C-alpha cells in the first residue's frame, strides 16, 4: 500500500503540540496530518522523531522539549509515565481536571448533545488514594523485587513507591518483600514459567485500617507460609488477613480459581457512606474510597428521593449503591451478573440490617425485561455499567418500564454519549453531567448524569 503522508519514518521535525488525546498523547499536525506523541502537552514545542507512518495518522517520539507548558509538572521519577501507572502525572492537577471535563464535552459535542457539564470534582490530595494494590514480583538485580510493567511490555521496572497507592500499602509491600527474601521465596520467572510467587495483592480499609495480604503463586505450595504469616503479623499489626491464591496458568489474568486462607480471616472490614462492608479477596470494591463517597452522594442527590420510591440499581456489584440508597427509598432492587458479588451484596445488606433491598443474579438487560413483564412500578433507575455501556436491549426495557428519573454513572464518556442519544429517543432528557475524578494521575473519566422522563 502506498502511503501519501507528509512525513517519513525516522524524519526529525520541530512541532507545536495542540491537543491531548483521551489516551494522553500529545497531538501535532503537519499539513492536517496528525502525529501522536507520548509525554508532551498542549502549548509545548518539541523536537520529535517519526516512528510510524499510517495512512491517516502517525506516531512520533519526543527527542527534545523546546518549550514547556506552564501546566507541566517536573516529575519525581519518569518511571510512573514509563509504566503507565500514572500517565498524567506530568500535567498539573487543575489541568488534569480540565482535561477530563473536556473529554466529556468533546464526545457530547460530536453527538450533538447539549448537556451542561459541571467542573470536575477533584481531590484535595490527588496522590496515595488507592486502597488496593496488585504488584508483580520478579527477580531483579539479584533479589526478589516488586515493580510495575513497562508500557506495552512484560518487563517489570523495579518500584517501591507507587505514588497513587495508600502509602501504608507501599510500606507493607516493602516489609513483606523483606520477609519473603529472608525465607528465600523464589519469584516467578515469566520466560521459563518457573518460580513460586507471581503477584502480591494488598487491600487496606480506608476507615478500618484493616489490611489483607494475598500471595498469588504459580505453585500450589508457598514454602514456609505459616512462618511468613507469623513474621508479617509481628511486623504489620494492621494485617488481619493473609491469603494465598494459586494461578498455575501462563496468563495475564492475575487470579486463579483456588483461594486458601493462610492466617487470620478471609475478609477485611471497611466502611463506605457510613455502612459496613466485608471485602473478600476477589470482591469488586471501588479503589478510591473518598471519591466514591463523592460520586455516590451526587448519584443520590440526582435521584431526588423522598423515601417513598421504588428504585432499581442496575449493575449493582457488591451492593454499595443499593445499600447507600436504601435509607432514602421504600424499596431497592439490585441486579448484577457476577454471582459472588450478589452473595456479597446480600451479606452486606444483612450486616447493616437493611431489609428493603433485594438482589437478583442475572444480566441487567434480561432481568429488566422480566421486571417489566411482572409489571413492576419503578420510580427511579440508577445504572453503573462497565466500560462498554448499556446494551440496546437494556435501553428498550427502560422505555417500557418508564421510570420518571434516571441516574447514569459512567466510567466511559464515549459509551455514555452513545447511550444518552438512545435514551433521548426513549424520551429521557439529560439535565446535567457531573464528572468526579475517581482516578487522579490517570486517564479515567467517571461521571454522573441526571435524566428525567419528559
Ligand atoms: N455499582 C457498583 C459496581 C459497578 S461496576 C459499584 O459502584 O461498586 C459494574 C458492574 O456491572 C460489575 O459488578 C459487573 O460485574 C457488572 N456487570 C457487567 N455486565 C453486566 C450485565 N450485563 N448485567 C448485570 N451486571 C453486569
Amino acid at each position: 500500500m502506498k502511503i501519501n503522508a507528509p512525513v517519513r519514518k525516522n524524519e526529525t521535525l520541530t512541532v507545536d503540540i495542540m491537543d491531548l488525546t483521551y489516551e494522553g498523547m500529545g497531538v501535532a499536525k503537519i499539513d492536517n496530518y496528525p502525529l501522536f506523541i507520548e509525554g508532551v502537552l498542549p502549548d509545548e514545542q518539541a523536537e520529535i522523531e517519526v516512528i510510524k507512518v499510517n495512512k491517516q495518522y502517525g506516531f512520533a517520539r519526543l527527542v527534545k522539549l523546546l518549550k514547556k507548558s506552564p501546566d507541566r509538572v517536573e516529575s519525581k521519577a519518569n518511571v510512573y509515565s514509563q509504566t503507565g501507572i500514572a500517565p498524567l502525572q506530568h500535567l498539573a492537577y487543575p489541568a488534569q481536571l480540565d482535561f477530563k471535563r473536556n473529554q466529556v464535552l468533546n464526545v457530547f459535542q460530536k453527538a450533538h448533545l447539549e448537556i451542561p457539564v459541571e467542573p470536575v470534582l477533584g481531590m484535595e490530595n490527588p496522590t496515595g488514594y488507592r486502597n488496593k494494590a496488585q504488584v508483580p514480583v520478579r527477580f531483579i538485580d539479584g533479589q526478589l523485587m516488586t515493580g510495575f510493567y513497562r508500557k506495552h511490555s512484560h518487563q517489570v521496572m523495579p518500584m517501591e513507591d507507587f505514588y497513587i497507592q495508600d502509602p501504608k500499602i507501599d510500606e507493607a509491600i516493602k516489609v513483606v518483600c523483606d520477609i519473603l527474601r529472608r525465607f528465600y521465596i523464589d519469584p516467578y520467572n515469566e520466560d521459563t514459567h518457573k518460580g513460586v510467587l507471581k503477584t502480591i495483592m494488598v487491600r487496606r480499609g480506608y476507615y478500618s485500617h484493616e489490611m489483607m495480604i494475598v500471595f498469588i503463586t504459580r505453585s500450589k505450595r508457598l514454602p514456609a507460609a505459616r512462618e511468613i504469616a507469623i513474621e508479617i503479623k509481628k511486623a504489620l499489626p494492621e494485617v488481619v488477613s493473609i491469603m494465598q491464591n494459586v494461578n498455575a496458568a501462563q496468563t495475564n489474568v492475575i487470579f486463579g480459581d483456588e483461594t486458601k486462607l493462610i492466617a487470620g480471616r478471609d475478609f477485611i472490614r471497611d466502611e463506605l457512606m457510613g455502612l459496613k462492608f466485608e471485602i473478600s479477596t476477589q470482591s469488586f470494591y471501588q479503589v478510591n474510597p473518598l471519591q466514591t463517597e463523592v460520586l455516590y452522594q451526587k448519584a443520590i442527590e440526582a435521584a431526588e428521593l423522598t423515601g417513598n420510591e421504588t428504585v432499581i440499581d442496575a449493575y449493582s456489584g457488591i451492593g454499595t449503591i443499593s445499600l447507600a440508597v436504601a435509607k432514602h427509598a421504600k424499596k431497592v432492587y439490585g441486579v448484577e451478573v457476577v454471582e459472588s458479588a450478589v452473595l456479597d451484596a446480600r451479606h452486606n445488606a444483612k450486616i447493616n440490617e437493611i431489609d428493603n433491598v433485594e438482589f437478583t443474579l442475572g444480566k441487567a438487560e434480561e432481568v429488566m425485561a422480566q421486571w417489566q413483564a411482572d409489571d413492576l412500578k419503578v420510580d427511579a433507575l440508577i445504572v453503573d455499567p462497565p466500560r462498554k455501556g448499556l446494551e440496546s436491549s437494556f435501553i428498550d426495557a427502560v422505555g417500557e418500564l418508564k421510570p420518571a428519573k434516571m441516574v447514569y454513572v459512567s466510567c466511559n464518556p464515549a459509551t455514555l454519549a452513545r447511550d444518552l442519544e438512545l435514551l433521548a429517543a426513549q424520551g429521557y432528557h439529560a439535565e446535567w453531567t457531573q464528572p468526579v475524578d475517581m482516578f487522579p494521575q490517570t486517564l479515567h473519566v467517571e461521571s454522573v448524569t441526571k435524566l428525567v422522563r419528559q
Side-chain angles (χ1 to χ4, degrees):
M1 181 180 63
K2 175 131 175 43
I3 291 177
N4 224 340
V7 296
R8 281 171 298 109
K9 193 175 167 177
N10 299 332
E11 185 178 356
T12 307
L13 299 160
T14 295
V15 295
D16 293 316
I17 310 304
M18 38 201 306
D19 205 355
L20 197 59
T21 68
Y22 72 95
E23 290 162 308
M25 290 188 130
V27 187
K29 281 195 176 161
I30 315 290
D31 302 338
N32 268 326
Y33 177 87
L35 281 173
F36 299 113
I37 311 138
E38 234 164 58
V40 293
L41 297 171
D43 299 324
E44 294 192 322
Q45 196 178 58
E47 192 183 307
I48 59 164
E49 186 193 341
V50 178
I51 52 180
K52 192 167 172 41
V53 180
N54 292 332
K55 204 166 175 190
Q56 312 280 354
Y57 57 90
F59 294 94
R61 70 172 185 88
L62 173 65
V63 177
K64 193 171 166 207
L65 211 50
L66 302 172
K67 191 187 123 213
K68 282 184 188 172
S69 159
D71 290 328
R72 175 173 286 274
V73 176
E74 292 307 333
S75 51
K76 298 192 289 178
N78 56 14
V79 69
Y80 301 119
S81 34
Q82 282 171 356
T83 54
I85 199 166
L88 280 183
Q89 52 107 29
H90 57 305
L91 186 61
Y93 192 55
Q96 287 185 25
L97 298 180
D98 285 345
F99 165 76
K100 292 189 180 186
R101 177 165 183 262
N102 286 332
Q103 298 304 306
V104 181
L105 284 171
N106 290 346
V107 292
F108 282 4
Q109 204 170 24
K110 276 193 199 128
H112 306 287
L113 291 165
E114 284 176 27
I115 305 166
V117 179
E118 301 297 323
V120 182
L121 296 172
M123 296 188 82
E124 208 165 305
N125 176 9
T127 62
Y129 58 82
R130 281 186 67 99
N131 61 7
K132 177 176 116 174
Q134 292 175 149
V135 297
V137 179
R138 297 290 181 272
F139 197 67
I140 303 172
D141 296 335
Q143 65 172 350
L144 179 150
M145 273 299 297
T146 56
F148 217 79
Y149 297 105
R150 182 191 279 281
K151 257 188 221 169
H152 324 297
S153 148
H154 277 239
Q155 187 199 344
V156 173
M157 304 181 75
M159 204 188 290
E160 286 188 328
D161 170 355
F162 289 82
Y163 189 52
I164 58 170
Q165 290 168 190
D166 182 338
K168 292 277 192 193
I169 290 182
D170 287 359
E171 184 59 42
I173 293 172
K174 272 206 290 206
V175 169
V176 168
C177 282
D178 272 338
I179 293 169
L180 294 171
R181 287 179 198 125
R182 296 213 305 269
F183 284 91
Y184 302 104
I185 297 301
D186 234 359
Y188 180 60
N189 181 324
E190 207 168 321
D191 296 328
T192 61
H193 192 53
K194 292 217 167 80
V196 173
L197 184 59
K198 288 176 147 180
T199 309
I200 299 173
M201 175 184 165
V202 183
R203 283 187 131 137
R204 182 172 185 260
Y206 180 81
Y207 293 101
S208 68
H209 298 174
E210 289 189 358
M211 231 191 272
M212 170 187 280
I213 312 278
V214 188
F215 295 115
I216 296 128
T217 60
R218 183 199 59 85
S219 52
K220 252 194 146 48
R221 212 173 87 79
L222 174 66
R226 292 288 315 161
E227 292 86 342
I228 289 170
I230 290 167
E231 293 303 312
I232 290 174
K233 291 197 124 187
K234 253 194 259 171
L236 299 165
E238 292 188 343
V239 173
V240 299
S241 168
I242 304 177
M243 309 288 297
Q244 181 189 353
N245 174 272
V246 182
N247 187 0
Q250 218 160 347
T251 159
N252 288 338
V253 178
I254 293 184
F255 282 95
D257 292 335
E258 189 186 346
T259 304
K260 315 187 254 201
L261 178 80
I262 298 178
R265 48 175 145 84
D266 62 357
F267 62 89
I268 60 166
R269 298 199 173 96
D270 199 22
E271 276 168 43
L272 194 64
M273 309 292 288
L275 298 163
K276 296 178 236 162
F277 288 92
E278 290 184 2
I279 307 143
S280 47
T281 313
Q282 289 185 68
S283 305
F284 175 88
Y285 191 67
Q286 295 278 358
V287 298
N288 186 335
L290 277 178
Q291 291 298 90
T292 298
E293 296 190 327
V294 173
L295 182 81
Y296 287 1
Q297 196 54 49
K298 270 289 152 196
I300 292 169
E301 253 171 66
E304 290 179 323
L305 302 174
T306 63
N308 294 321
E309 292 84 357
T310 298
V311 181
I312 289 177
D313 171 22
Y315 310 87
S316 50
I318 61 164
T320 39
I321 293 180
S322 299
L323 297 179
V325 162
K327 62 167 165 290
H328 305 281
K330 190 169 84 196
K331 177 91 192 184
V332 183
Y333 293 92
V335 52
E336 162 63 46
V337 78
V338 173
E339 183 172 18
S340 64
V342 171
L343 297 176
D344 281 346
R346 288 178 187 148
H347 179 71
N348 289 325
K350 201 186 266 167
I351 61 177
N352 286 287
E353 295 169 24
I354 293 174
D355 51 18
N356 61 336
V357 295
E358 198 175 308
F359 293 100
T360 303
L361 173 64
K363 287 189 176 166
E365 55 275 23
E366 290 171 8
V367 175
M368 285 280 284
Q370 187 55 47
W371 279 329
Q372 197 251 321
D374 295 348
D375 206 21
L376 185 71
K377 296 279 176 281
V378 182
D379 301 297
L381 167 65
I382 302 175
V383 298
D384 184 8
R387 288 187 62 77
K388 66 176 199 259
L390 303 173
E391 296 290 330
S392 60
S393 55
F394 184 97
I395 293 175
D396 294 341
V398 176
E400 302 283 334
L401 268 174
K402 300 184 174 56
K405 283 175 279 190
M406 184 171 167
V407 180
Y408 193 136
V409 180
S410 158
C411 59
N412 182 352
T415 53
L416 171 68
R418 180 202 64 198
D419 292 345
L420 291 180
E421 266 188 284
L422 295 173
L423 285 163
Q426 298 282 1
Y428 285 87
H429 169 72
E431 290 193 343
W432 48 256
T433 295
Q434 172 66 70
V436 177
D437 194 16
M438 300 284 281
F439 308 97
Q441 322 299 339
T442 79
L443 298 155
H444 297 287
V445 183
E446 190 100 13
S447 64
V448 177
T449 300
K450 177 183 177 174
L451 299 109
V452 288
R453 198 182 136 75
Q454 309 237 284

